[in-house]
Amino acid sequence: MSRRRLIRITFVQWALIAAGVVLAVLTPQLANWDLAAIGVLVGYGIVFELLSMSSTVSRVNVSGGSVVIVVAAVLYGGAPAALACVVTLGVGWLSSRERGVKLGHNLATAVWFPFLTGLGFHAVITLAGVRVGSTTFFLLAFP
């Protein structure tokens, strides 16, 4: 990969990460920062990340961490879930040691996947008039 292309990719990755942070700051009403509960979910995410396994089909590690991130996005919102995902990824990085562009892709995904999941779920329950804590809410959250 040429140096110029590498610089462009890195710039886009950091721009995406920064945009996620800005969006989190601009949408505080969509987040529930229950740090104790989010901390427990992060703990589970870290355990799942450390117990990840290499896929026999492709060069991908598989873990249960994404389930934890989706639960965080649904229950606490996109920004707390994004923070949980970045922390989980950071701890997982200690064993995987992805470099450069691959780490940048993973960080950008760690910010946007949970954020968009939380925003999407919030939009669905708001448009459908579903009350948080109702049976319908839990059926939508955990099908």
Side-chain angles (χ1 to χ4, degrees):
M1 182 179 317
S2 73
R3 181 165 171 73
R4 179 175 284 184
R5 183 165 184 219
L6 183 62
I7 290 170
R8 278 190 299 220
I9 290 171
T10 303
F11 175 79
V12 169
Q13 291 169 336
W14 284 105
L16 285 168
I17 293 165
V21 172
V22 168
L23 187 59
V25 170
L26 294 176
T27 58
Q29 70 280 8
L30 299 178
N32 176 4
W33 290 97
D34 183 349
L35 294 181
I38 295 165
V40 169
L41 288 173
V42 167
Y44 279 116
I46 289 170
V47 168
F48 287 137
E49 190 67 26
L50 294 176
L51 295 175
S52 69
M53 299 172 57
S54 295
S55 169
T56 57
V57 178
S58 62
R59 296 181 350 210
V60 175
N61 281 349
V62 179
S63 78
S66 60
V67 174
V68 171
I69 301 309
V70 170
V71 168
V74 165
L75 297 179
Y76 300 104
L83 177 64
C85 193
V86 169
V87 170
T88 301
L89 176 89
V91 172
W93 177 84
L94 295 174
S95 65
S96 63
R97 303 283 188 189
E98 295 100 358
R99 291 187 180 182
V101 172
K102 188 174 180 183
L103 178 60
H105 284 323
N106 288 344
L107 282 171
T109 301
V111 169
W112 283 99
F113 160 66
F115 214 116
L116 293 175
T117 300
L119 290 174
F121 187 78
H122 178 76
V124 167
I125 65 169
T126 300
L127 292 173
V130 174
R131 188 177 51 81
V132 174
S134 69
T135 303
T136 305
F137 175 86
F138 286 104
L139 289 174
L140 288 171
F142 308 105

